Amino acid sequence: MREPWLRGVEGGRMKAPQEEHVYSLVVKDLMDPLRKQWDRIGHLIIPRLTIFASVREMILDICLKEDFKDAGKVAVMMWVLWNNRNNWIWNEEKKDANQLGPPHPGWLKCNVDAGFNAILGTTNGGWCARDSGGRFMVAGTLWNRRNFSIVEAKAIALKEAIQGAINLHLQHIIFESDSQMVVQATNDPSLGNSEFSLIINSIRNLLSSRNDFEVKFVKRQANCVAP
């Protein structure tokens, strides 16, 4: 613990306080000599070796090092906690751990969102579905080099989420978007000839054959789970 062996950390040493017994350990003490793997002590020590400057860095590290399923579970957990915290601060409403975020039994909830990358000049979107127990099921992302308006981007993300669910043969899904305009447009029978109208028409066509799909509006702070 006293050696400067941490790459990318100023000084190369751990700054967080450790338990007293840790300072007498050497690297071989963290290994199981038979299996040649980190043992129980290693699992306790290694996660404290990474120092994150921000939540964003922590999320990126999880996405790079963990498998798809575990990263999805972390994303859902963080969204559930953040959403419950916002409801308590702004509405003085909160739920216990068994009630947070999940849809009705037998249904999936799919959060959809879109954004922009100014450096790459791309329009990006993502969606994440979880079951009635709040467990991560599946997620998807998309990107396009064209420049779209915000509502167009959110509509495209919704269309791709619905199409992805159909391709995966998923059933009974509530799609949630924080764009009230997009959600209202999907239920508006009037048609136009704008780019936005064409995207909405594609969404309606996908929904027309699926009476087990619903599209609902949610506030921005309740849609943070979308990738």
Side-chain angles (χ1 to χ4, degrees), residues 22-123:
V22 171
Y23 290 90
S24 64
L25 297 177
V26 293
V27 174
K28 69 177 183 179
D29 296 324
L30 307 180
M31 302 293 295
D32 183 323
L34 297 178
R35 295 184 300 163
K36 304 298 181 181
Q37 296 177 351
W38 296 112
D39 64 10
R40 186 175 181 182
I41 297 178
H43 286 297
L44 293 174
I45 302 301
I46 296 304
R48 296 152 80 174
L49 300 183
T50 303
I51 301 175
F52 301 104
S54 66
V55 174
R56 181 178 181 180
E57 286 188 10
M58 182 187 72
I59 295 174
L60 178 60
D61 185 79
I62 292 172
C63 291
L64 291 175
K65 295 181 179 179
E66 302 297 333
D67 62 27
F68 184 76
K69 189 172 183 179
D70 287 339
K73 288 180 179 179
V74 172
V76 171
M77 178 187 67
M78 294 181 69
W79 172 82
V80 166
L81 295 175
W82 179 254
N83 185 48
N84 200 43
R85 175 258 188 193
N86 286 339
N87 282 335
W88 174 242
I89 291 177
W90 300 109
N91 304 319
E92 295 188 356
E93 297 177 357
K94 63 181 178 180
K95 299 178 180 179
D96 62 40
N98 294 325
Q99 297 175 313
L100 293 177
H104 295 298
W107 283 76
L108 301 179
K109 183 175 288 187
C110 181
N111 291 90
V112 185
D113 204 359
F116 304 91
N117 189 315
I119 297 177
L120 298 177
T122 60
T123 300

Side-chain angles (χ1 to χ4, degrees), residues 55-222:
V55 174
R56 181 178 181 180
E57 286 188 10
M58 182 187 72
I59 295 174
L60 178 60
D61 185 79
I62 292 172
C63 291
L64 291 175
K65 295 181 179 179
E66 302 297 333
D67 62 27
F68 184 76
K69 189 172 183 179
D70 287 339
K73 288 180 179 179
V74 172
V76 171
M77 178 187 67
M78 294 181 69
W79 172 82
V80 166
L81 295 175
W82 179 254
N83 185 48
N84 200 43
R85 175 258 188 193
N86 286 339
N87 282 335
W88 174 242
I89 291 177
W90 300 109
N91 304 319
E92 295 188 356
E93 297 177 357
K94 63 181 178 180
K95 299 178 180 179
D96 62 40
N98 294 325
Q99 297 175 313
L100 293 177
H104 295 298
W107 283 76
L108 301 179
K109 183 175 288 187
C110 181
N111 291 90
V112 185
D113 204 359
F116 304 91
N117 189 315
I119 297 177
L120 298 177
T122 60
T123 300
N124 309 313
W127 54 277
C128 177
R130 52 204 168 89
D131 64 15
S132 58
R135 293 178 289 270
F136 170 76
M137 296 294 293
V138 66
T141 58
L142 61 119
W143 64 277
N144 196 308
R145 290 195 177 276
R146 288 184 57 188
N147 291 321
F148 294 95
S149 67
I150 294 177
V151 292
E152 288 173 346
K154 289 180 179 289
I156 290 174
L158 176 60
K159 180 176 75 71
E160 292 298 322
I162 296 173
Q163 185 63 68
I166 293 174
N167 293 342
L168 292 171
H169 306 290
L170 301 180
Q171 298 177 333
H172 300 96
I173 307 178
I174 299 172
F175 296 90
E176 293 186 338
S177 170
D178 57 27
S179 174
Q180 196 163 24
M181 182 179 295
V182 171
V183 175
Q184 290 176 343
T186 60
N187 300 313
D188 187 351
S190 62
L191 293 175
N193 55 8
S194 66
E195 182 80 19
F196 176 69
S197 297
L198 294 176
I199 300 170
I200 293 298
N201 189 47
S202 297
I203 293 174
R204 290 198 202 117
N205 288 337
L206 292 174
L207 293 174
S208 63
S209 60
R210 298 300 301 263
N211 57 13
D212 60 336
F213 283 6
E214 298 181 15
V215 176
K216 293 185 177 181
F217 166 74
V218 292
K219 294 181 179 180
R220 175 65 184 168
Q221 63 265 30

